[in-house]
Amino acid sequence: MTITRFQIGQRMSQAVMHGDTIYLAGQVAQGAPGASVAEQTQDILARIDGLLEEVGSDKTKILSATIWLSDMDSFEEMNGVWDAWVPEGHAPGRACVEARLARPHFNVEIGIIAAK
């Protein structure tokens, strides 16, 4: 099977497609660093929408999501944005954990696996 990489950088590709499966790199709020958890989540989900569109998929085809929060006290704030974004009947498998993220101004990171 062919492997196709999108938005290739030295350290990582933002998306990798293998067959009909798409793996997104963990997305952080590049457009909202230091903003509230809700604003960071909105920024990340918009980035995910764009990446999925670029590879010929969309959020109804998400298989799995992993969400990292710098503080689980913001779980409900993040979920408020997430719940409004996920189309009804298309909730993916999901895990959410507390973790120290790569930069202190990022409070949310989301990784996605989707079908084409």
Side-chain angles (χ1 to χ4, degrees):
M1 287 191 158
T2 303
I3 297 173
T4 308
R5 300 172 197 285
F6 299 84
Q7 297 187 27
I8 302 167
Q10 182 169 345
R11 182 170 293 149
M12 73 184 91
S13 296
Q14 291 301 309
V16 177
M17 187 174 354
H18 178 253
D20 287 334
T21 305
I22 300 154
Y23 305 86
L24 299 187
Q27 299 298 305
V28 294
Q30 295 290 347
S36 71
V37 166
E39 291 167 316
Q40 287 193 21
T41 304
Q42 289 169 340
D43 183 77
I44 292 165
L45 296 177
R47 293 173 56 76
I48 289 169
D49 281 333
L51 284 167
L52 290 173
E53 182 179 346
E54 182 177 343
V55 301
S57 187
D58 63 64
K59 63 187 170 186
T60 66
K61 298 176 183 166
I62 295 174
L63 304 170
S64 177
T66 303
I67 302 170
W68 296 273
L69 296 173
S70 63
D71 185 344
M72 284 303 281
D73 286 343
S74 61
F75 183 70
E76 292 306 321
E77 182 180 356
M78 177 277 301
N79 273 332
V81 177
W82 174 269
D83 292 346
W85 178 77
V86 174
E88 186 174 336
H90 295 279
R94 193 183 100 164
C96 185
V97 297
E98 183 175 287
R100 194 172 91 193
L101 302 181
R103 301 279 184 265
H105 52 271
F106 293 130
N107 297 310
V108 183
E109 184 169 344
I110 302 176
I112 295 290
I113 300 171
K116 182 148 167 74

